[in-house]
Amino acid sequence: MAEEKKASSDKIKKMADPMACSIDEATQEMIARAQELGVETVFDRAAAMKPCNIGVQGTCCKNCAMGPCRLPLPKSGIEGEDTRKGLCGATPNTIAARNFIRMIAGGAAAHSDHGRCVAEVFMSAARKESDAYKIKDEFKLLSIASHLGVETMVEVDGEKVDRDMNEIALEVAEKALNEWGKPVGELLYMKRAPQPLYEKWKKSGVLPRNIDREIVEIMHRTHIGVDQDFKNLIKQGTRAALADGWGGSMLATDLQDVLFGTPYPIQSEANLGVMKEDHVNIIVHGHEPVLSEIIVAVAQSREMIDYAKSKGAKGIQLGGICCTANEILQRHGVPPVGTFLQQELAIITGACDAMVVDIQCIFQNLANVAKCFHTKLITTHPIARMEQDNVIHIEFDEHHAFEDARRIVKMAIDNFKNRSAEVMIPKHKGVQVAGFGVESIEYHLGGTFRGSYYTLNDNIINGRIRGVAGVVGCNNARTKHNEAHITVVKELIKNDVIVLTTGCNGIACAMEGLLTPETAQVFCGPGLAEVCETVGIPPVLHLGSCVDNSRILLAATEVVKAGGLGSDISDLPAAGSAPEWMSEKAISIGHYFVASGVYTVFGVTLPTSGAPVFHDYICNELEKIYGGMWDIEPDPVEHARKMIAHIDKKRKALGIDRTRERVLMDMADRRDMEASYQKA
Ligand code: BF8
């Protein structure tokens, strides 16, 4: 027996094949490097451990101690009545719906708690309690004030005059914070949606009352013995998801823009190759930009650069991972070092002097990897600590943000001399233009004399742009890193669909060089290429982090408002996608897109396959209520084609399919032109 045990522990652990793990050469090189050094990564763990077959189907219920009750769908399917039940009698539909909306609760809580934290810092800034934060974008402050019911003008001696900016900021902070827990009413931002969509929500009873309440109610309704009707359960999921997209996430985006500046297009790079061997490399990772904004300022200060030089480095190279990366990329041009799946690899370069993490998408294994190198792993958020003893916790407080940031940057510089392992930084990196948003799309694609969405709409109507796609979301170690992201995006732009990206999809596209205006000539269909060339934009517009998916909702609303493409988001030739999703946040995002009228396709898998009736309800029946619906398609080419088919269906309904046919003739003309140009 003992020998048997020994034999099994001696069994060689299954290792990942680097080439099969990623399409990105830097990632392949670093996985191989990790294996050479004997450092385990997520890729090896994915090779060694299979996902649970019942959990994948969404039909494992562990909401009470009589279970877990496991209700997998038999391989042969079910003919006739589905008699599967948990001990309490819960059906697979109830179980899958409960699990699904608990995922929404998790995702909505993550985005919204991030938003709350920003709102609290905003309040400190409005009260002038912190020297680190002030109102940077007054224009944006004024533009959001009206949506929160804050007056921007006051009457003095019978005359309307501008209200004091500090007073406006203070009231905006109060009204915003109120959105998390107000006792009566509905979320104020819901009225930013097109009127018909707002009316649909009202009629269906899904207007969120406040952000926290909708999340709490999910936890209540999914407790044993409460809500046992999958339609009623998903209705509450809808309410919480809307509280995320049009509430917590949108407030996070807006308040960050006011505090740190609304992003405008900015050039940068992406991938592990941005790290520099002769510089102090500091990587910020996570999601909240409140501390990383200050780290950027401190790391760029003369004092710290001189200090780094005094320690033998040529300077300080900042980089980001995950959505903190996207936040500081879009406002400062700081390059992302990689996506979610590359976080361990950044440390394995041996050149990461400090990795500073805040919240969400942070592997606990970073601590184990950091142990093998000199890297200081620093947690900064009170709600996100790690149990390993090599992790340093420097708790961030907005009241002494500069002090915290200085301590962190100095610690990284002091650590530069401690590099032990041989440094290996892959050469690969992509060039990118990021920092797009509702405002810059209006500017770039607007009319000649005034910013508006009319020109974008015109180009959609005349068929040069076939439609708009939001392609967003994570990496997932169960699929080849970045393969589906890039294949879906390339297939869409090849077919003249302009892509709006956020999150790790944005980073993946940047690594592959898809975020430059020059890309249009190489990868786009002729109509989209022409538009991109004319206005000088990339065919894939990077709109920021995952809370910035709210920018996509507002851009879609602006397109509706500009006219000519129907009266609701669900009328637009548009579709959404998360080809490599993995997080609960992705489910919340997917669901608020669906509930906002968008056909939304996920790759990998959906945790509903074990409950065919519930699955069918969210993939087919929801369209009748909100105009949007879920779909699942793991094959990336087919995934993109389904989106294009939906876009074409919407073009037809709008009566603009014929204009597209005319452009198809232009395509042939253009090919002829190109052929004759090449011959010449
Ligand atoms: O919030 S895309 S892996 S980093 S969850 Fe995480 Fe997914 Fe990346 Fe940003 Ni969004």
Side-chain angles (χ1 to χ4, degrees):
M1 186 70 179
E3 256 170 38
E4 234 174 71
K5 255 195 181 165
K6 177 150 185 348
S8 73
S9 70
D10 284 350
K11 219 164 72 182
I12 295 169
K13 255 199 175 169
K14 218 171 170 192
M15 298 267 261
D17 168 5
M19 303 301 281
C21 288
S22 176
I23 59 162
D24 170 52
E25 284 180 53
T27 305
Q28 293 165 355
E29 282 172 20
M30 288 313 300
I31 297 170
R33 172 68 173 162
Q35 292 175 346
E36 186 191 324
L37 296 174
V39 181
E40 183 198 87
T41 67
V42 61
F43 300 98
D44 300 317
R45 291 189 291 279
M49 184 172 66
K50 283 204 170 112
C52 164
N53 178 44
I54 306 162
V56 154
Q57 297 184 28
T59 47
C60 169
C61 182
K62 54 181 181 61
N63 294 10
C64 86
M66 297 195 292
C69 293
R70 299 168 304 150
L71 275 61
L73 194 65
K75 275 210 176 94
S76 54
I78 288 174
E79 266 180 41
E81 200 191 339
D82 186 350
T83 55
R84 293 175 294 159
K85 311 185 185 65
L87 261 63
C88 69
T91 65
N93 299 316
T94 296
I95 292 171
R98 285 202 295 223
N99 289 336
F100 195 77
I101 73 169
R102 277 198 172 199
M103 291 184 86
I104 293 178
H111 285 143
S112 300
D113 216 31
H114 163 174
R116 184 204 321 265
C117 182
V118 175
E120 284 167 353
V121 172
F122 187 93
M123 176 62 96
S124 289
R127 286 185 181 148
K128 303 200 182 308
E129 291 171 353
S130 159
D131 60 343
Y133 305 98
K134 18 185 162 335
I135 305 304
K136 201 162 181 183
D137 189 339
E138 292 186 348
F139 185 76
K140 184 98 183 202
L141 175 66
L142 295 176
S143 81
I144 65 168
S146 61
H147 299 297
L148 292 167
V150 176
E151 291 293 340
T152 56
M153 306 283 280
V154 279
E155 213 172 287
V156 178
D157 301 332
E159 249 184 72
K160 281 261 182 198
V161 295
D162 289 343
R163 192 178 175 196
D164 176 68
M165 207 54 84
N166 293 321
E167 260 182 52
I168 297 174
L170 207 55
E171 200 182 329
V172 162
E174 280 163 7
K175 286 270 172 63
L177 273 169
N178 209 26
E179 293 299 88
W180 272 267
K182 63 187 179 189
V184 288
E186 66 195 35
L187 286 192
L188 297 167
Y189 270 6
M190 303 314 290
K191 288 214 166 92
R192 296 180 81 172
Q195 179 76 11
L197 182 54
Y198 176 84
E199 295 302 335
K200 271 180 207 164
W201 293 333
K202 194 170 177 182
K203 191 171 150 225
S204 314
V206 293
L207 283 170
R209 295 154 289 185
N210 70 51
I211 298 164
D212 288 349
R213 180 170 183 175
E214 305 313 347
I215 295 163
V216 168
E217 195 170 302
I218 285 185
M219 299 314 286
H220 179 189
R221 282 162 76 155
T222 56
H223 184 276
I224 179 176
V226 187
D227 202 348
Q228 299 173 119
D229 170 3
F230 67 88
K231 291 182 193 168
N232 208 37
L233 283 160
I234 195 66
K235 191 170 149 186
Q236 180 56 22
T238 302
R239 234 184 194 178
L242 291 172
D244 174 358
W246 296 85
S249 282
M250 200 171 277
L251 282 162
T253 297
D254 280 349
L255 298 178
Q256 285 170 182
D257 283 358
V258 177
L259 277 180
F260 310 131
T262 301
Y264 278 90
I266 190 163
Q267 190 170 329
S268 187
E269 296 176 324
N271 210 346
L272 292 158
V274 305
M275 295 174 75
K276 294 193 180 121
E277 186 165 356
D278 52 10
H279 280 53
V280 174
N281 289 291
I282 303 175
I283 293 176
V284 289
H285 171 19
H287 285 76
E288 268 182 23
V290 285
L291 174 60
S292 48
E293 274 285 323
I294 311 299
I295 290 183
V296 173
V298 169
Q300 289 172 348
S301 69
R302 178 51 43 210
E303 179 202 350
M304 284 298 158
I305 293 170
D306 287 346
Y307 186 60
K309 286 182 179 164
S310 77
K311 298 288 173 184
K314 286 207 171 129
I316 301 171
Q317 177 63 48
L318 270 175
I321 290 193
C322 285
C323 284
T324 292
N326 287 323
E327 298 286 2
I328 54 174
L329 161 72
Q330 63 183 341
R331 296 193 179 89
H332 304 285
V334 172
V337 162
T339 63
F340 171 69
L341 280 184
Q342 291 169 285
Q343 52 187 287
E344 294 162 308
L345 307 181
I347 297 180
I348 294 165
T349 59
C352 177
D353 301 299
M355 185 175 278
V356 189
V357 302
D358 51 72
I359 47 161
Q360 301 166 23
C361 302
I362 297 149
F363 288 171
Q364 186 168 356
N365 197 56
L366 286 180
N368 304 329
V369 177
K371 256 185 208 163
C372 308
F373 298 85
H374 77 302
T375 306
K376 301 272 186 215
L377 180 62
I378 305 167
T379 54
T380 57
H381 207 290
I383 70 162
R385 300 185 64 155
M386 286 185 194
E387 68 190 45
Q388 289 97 323
D389 54 15
N390 61 323
V391 181
I392 301 159
H393 187 69
I394 299 180
E395 197 153 305
F396 164 72
D397 181 329
E398 70 264 26
H399 298 98
H400 40 77
F402 273 118
E403 241 175 276
D404 294 339
R406 260 190 222 109
R407 206 174 139 205
I408 288 167
V409 173
K410 201 164 168 293
M411 190 176 276
I413 296 171
D414 288 335
N415 198 28
F416 178 70
K417 63 172 187 310
N418 296 330
R419 286 187 192 172
S420 47
E422 203 185 313
V423 168
M424 185 188 133
I425 302 173
K427 296 258 173 301
H428 316 274
K429 58 183 177 184
V431 176
Q432 63 168 323
V433 179
F436 286 89
V438 180
E439 296 82 357
S440 53
I441 295 175
E442 181 173 291
Y443 173 74
H444 282 275
L445 282 163
T448 315
F449 300 110
R450 58 172 178 214
S452 76
Y453 274 64
Y454 293 114
T455 315
L456 172 60
N457 283 28
D458 271 355
N459 278 301
I460 296 173
I461 293 164
N462 69 28
R464 278 193 193 89
I465 296 177
R466 190 171 189 163
V468 183
V471 188
V472 307
C474 328
N475 286 138
N476 186 319
R478 299 296 176 193
T479 64
K480 194 171 187 173
H481 170 243
N482 285 359
E483 182 177 56
H485 277 315
I486 300 306
T487 311
V488 168
V489 169
K490 281 189 178 166
E491 190 66 22
L492 289 168
I493 60 177
K494 186 174 96 185
N495 285 284
D496 291 323
V497 176
I498 192 166
V499 172
L500 309 181
T501 177
T502 61
C504 288
N505 180 274
I507 303 174
C509 289
M511 286 160 59
E512 286 291 311
L514 294 177
L515 303 186
T516 61
E518 295 74 31
T519 309
Q521 274 307 307
V522 187
F523 295 111
C524 291
L528 180 59
E530 193 182 329
V531 174
C532 291
E533 255 175 73
T534 311
V535 292
I537 54 162
V540 185
L541 303 177
H542 192 346
L543 269 66
S545 67
C546 287
V547 292
D548 293 332
N549 282 314
S550 62
R551 297 190 202 276
I552 302 183
L553 295 176
L554 292 177
T557 304
E558 289 303 317
V559 172
V560 172
K561 274 201 228 153
L565 291 169
S567 59
D568 198 348
I569 293 177
S570 58
D571 295 330
L572 302 177
S577 154
E580 300 181 26
W581 80 280
M582 62 86 207
S583 73
E584 291 171 324
K585 292 181 286 174
I587 292 289
S588 181
I589 293 166
H591 200 66
Y592 71 65
F593 270 101
V594 166
S596 300
V598 182
Y599 169 62
T600 303
V601 193
F602 269 35
V604 197
T605 176
L606 263 190
T608 53
S609 58
V613 177
F614 174 61
H615 181 84
D616 177 69
Y617 185 73
I618 63 167
C619 292
N620 295 307
E621 298 301 309
L622 285 186
E623 187 180 14
K624 295 172 193 150
I625 309 173
Y626 307 111
M629 64 288 200
W630 283 91
D631 205 350
I632 161 78
E633 182 49 67
D635 178 84
V637 174
E638 194 47 34
H639 185 114
R641 287 191 182 152
K642 282 184 169 179
M643 294 168 76
I644 295 166
H646 179 81
I647 283 168
D648 285 349
K649 176 176 112 180
K650 292 293 170 182
R651 292 191 70 86
K652 193 164 184 201
L654 289 164
I656 55 171
D657 48 330
R658 290 208 193 89
T659 51
R660 170 94 206 137
E661 279 163 25
R662 278 203 294 278
V663 170
L664 280 174
M665 288 174 62
D666 291 343
M667 281 166 70
D669 292 344
R670 195 185 156 97
R671 269 196 295 273
D672 288 343
M673 255 172 56
E674 268 172 11
S676 54
Y677 176 71
Q678 272 163 10
K679 263 187 223 156

